[in-house]
Amino acid sequence: SLVRKWHTMIQAHVDVKTTDGYVVRLFVIAFTERRPDQVSTNCYAQSAQIRKIRRKMMEIMAKEAGTVQLRELVKKLIPESIGKEITKQ
């Protein structure tokens, strides 16, 4: 199961128009994770942090999907390169 106790789940969606004219609705889901030196058992995010993370995820999805055709977008989604970009930032 993706959902875990003691973690914050962050969801976002965005409607993006590809360069060949298709409108695609992308959904993304993210979870907080514990730091290596963390002592407390939970790793919740504050609501302002959640809003910042959600805004950043939506920006990345719009940038990645709005600059390519639908065929290349599907090729990007299969190896989860957009998800790795979100995790990096």
Side-chain angles (χ1 to χ4, degrees):
S1 173
L2 284 172
V3 182
R4 302 179 70 185
K5 287 175 70 173
W6 318 119
H7 296 265
T8 301
M9 180 173 65
I10 305 165
Q11 296 176 330
H13 68 277
V14 65
D15 294 334
V16 182
K17 190 168 192 173
T18 60
T19 56
D20 50 356
Y22 289 97
V23 177
V24 182
R25 180 170 290 163
L26 298 172
F27 293 89
V28 68
I29 186 169
F31 300 95
T32 56
E33 59 184 17
R34 287 179 51 126
R35 310 284 281 188
D37 57 345
Q38 184 173 333
V39 177
S40 64
T41 57
N42 60 28
C43 53
Y44 297 130
Q46 295 178 339
S47 59
Q49 293 171 327
I50 293 171
R51 286 196 302 270
K52 282 183 183 177
I53 292 168
R54 189 177 291 127
R55 188 178 312 121
K56 192 70 175 175
M57 290 192 305
M58 291 170 71
E59 284 175 11
I60 292 170
M61 284 192 296
K63 180 182 64 136
E64 294 285 333
T67 57
V68 294
Q69 293 184 353
L70 185 64
R71 186 177 306 243
E72 284 99 44
L73 177 61
V74 172
K75 288 180 183 173
K76 277 186 176 183
L77 292 174
I78 290 172
E80 296 182 13
S81 63
I82 296 175
K84 291 176 185 159
E85 177 72 24
I86 290 172
T87 305
K88 213 177 354 177
Q89 293 194 16

